[in-house]
Amino acid sequence: MQQMWTDIDEYINSHLIPTDPRLQHALDNTDNQGFSNHLAVAPNQGMFLQMLIQMNQCKRVLELGTFGAYSTIWLAKALPEDGYLLTVEGRDTHVIIAQENIDYANMPTNIELKKGRGADIMKQLIADGAEPFDLIFIDADKQSYREYFELSLKLTHSGSIIVLDNVIRAGAILDENNKKPSIEGIRDAFSALKDHPQLLSCTALQTVGSKGHDGFAIAIVK
Ligand code: DHB
Ligand code: MG
C-alpha cells in the first residue's frame, strides 16, 4: 500500500499544493547535509497547518521540534507580517540547518529559532509572562508530549489550537509489547487529552501518504 499512498500524495500535491522555492530549498539543504526528510511533514500536511492558521487568523505560533524548518516555513507562510513564530529545537546539528533554511526563506514574518529543550523554554516563557500563543504545534520528542501539552495550556488562550504530530506511528500505539519511550509518550498524551476539562474539543486523525501511516491530534482550548 505504501506505493499507492505515495502516488496519491504526489497526485494531491501536484494538483493542490503550489511549489515554493523556500520550502524546496529547506528540503534540499536538509537532504544534502545527510539528514532524512522523513521527519518533515508532507506538503499537503504543511498546507493543512497553513490553513489552520488562516482559519483562526493566528498571529502568534509556537512550534516544538524545528528539525529542518520545513514545517516552520509552512507556518510562517500563513502568518501576517506582524505575526510571530517561535520555533524550538534541541539538537545542535538541526539548529544549524534550521537557521540556514529560515535565513534563506527570508519570510516577512518574524521567526525566532531557540535552541533548547522545549519544556525548559516553555517554562521560561510562562515565568516571563509571555503573551499566549494562538497555535502550538507539538512535533518534538514524543516521550515529552504530555508535558508539552500540559505546558501548552499555560501558554494559550480560549480558542487556541494545539496540534500534536505523529500520534499513530503505524499503529504502534496499540502494540502492548511496544514500550519504547516515544510510544509510551504518545499513549500518555492520549490519556492527558482524554476528557480534559480545559479543552473545548479534541480529536485525532490517522493519515496515510508519503510519510507512511501516522496521524495527528488536534485540540481547541476552552
Ligand atoms: C519522526 C518524528 C517526526 O516528527 C515525524 O514527523 C516523523 C518521524 C521520528 O522520530 O521517527
Ligand atoms: Mg512530526
Side-chain angles (χ1 to χ4, degrees):
M1 290 303 282
Q2 181 57 60
Q3 189 57 51
M4 162 83 101
W5 298 341
T6 302
D7 292 347
I8 298 268
D9 257 7
E10 279 167 13
Y11 182 88
I12 294 169
N13 294 336
S14 68
H15 284 78
L16 306 181
I17 315 295
T19 58
D20 181 329
R22 301 169 297 188
L23 290 167
Q24 193 55 48
H25 170 270
L27 291 178
D28 293 344
N29 187 39
T30 303
D31 190 46
N32 291 340
Q33 298 197 37
F35 291 92
S36 163
N37 277 314
H38 186 71
L39 273 61
V41 297
N44 47 351
Q45 294 169 346
M47 178 62 93
F48 179 72
L49 293 173
Q50 170 175 304
M51 291 167 68
L52 286 178
I53 291 177
Q54 290 168 336
M55 282 188 267
N56 297 284
Q57 295 171 7
C58 300
K59 280 196 164 182
R60 287 175 58 83
V61 172
L62 171 63
E63 176 182 54
L64 303 170
T66 317
F67 181 47
Y70 179 77
S71 51
T72 314
I73 295 169
W74 268 112
L75 296 165
K77 271 162 73 81
L79 284 169
E81 286 195 17
D82 62 345
Y84 172 67
L85 170 52
L86 173 61
T87 183
V88 178
E89 176 56 56
R91 294 156 294 186
D92 292 290
T93 43
H94 294 192
V95 168
I96 293 168
I97 297 177
Q99 192 64 61
E100 284 175 11
N101 294 343
I102 290 166
D103 290 346
Y104 179 92
N106 192 24
M107 309 298 292
T109 201
N110 178 15
I111 305 178
E112 188 176 7
L113 169 61
K114 283 195 187 179
K115 182 182 164 320
R117 194 175 165 262
D120 295 338
I121 288 174
M122 293 173 95
K123 285 176 194 162
Q124 191 60 54
L125 287 166
I126 295 163
D128 293 347
E131 249 186 85
F133 292 91
D134 307 312
L135 182 143
I136 299 183
F137 180 49
I138 300 174
D139 194 22
D141 57 303
K142 316 305 171 208
Q143 61 267 42
S144 307
Y145 265 31
R146 181 189 197 122
E147 188 178 17
Y148 295 146
F149 163 67
E150 280 167 356
L151 290 167
S152 293
L153 293 172
K154 301 198 160 96
L155 285 167
T156 45
H157 55 77
S158 173
S160 293
I161 298 161
I162 303 171
V163 179
L164 299 91
D165 197 25
N166 313 113
V167 298
I168 303 297
R169 307 325 321 260
I173 55 167
L174 291 188
D175 175 3
E176 286 169 16
N177 298 319
N178 191 332
K179 306 264 196 243
K180 275 200 224 162
S182 58
I183 301 301
E184 294 276 34
I186 291 165
R187 293 189 193 112
D188 262 4
F190 270 100
S191 307
L193 291 165
K194 184 172 194 278
D195 298 326
H196 199 292
Q198 281 172 269
L199 295 182
L200 177 66
S201 40
C202 182
T203 189
L205 294 174
Q206 302 182 67
T207 53
V208 292
S210 58
K211 306 289 173 174
H213 173 206
D214 212 325
F216 58 89
I218 182 165
I220 303 176
V221 177
K222 194 182 271 177

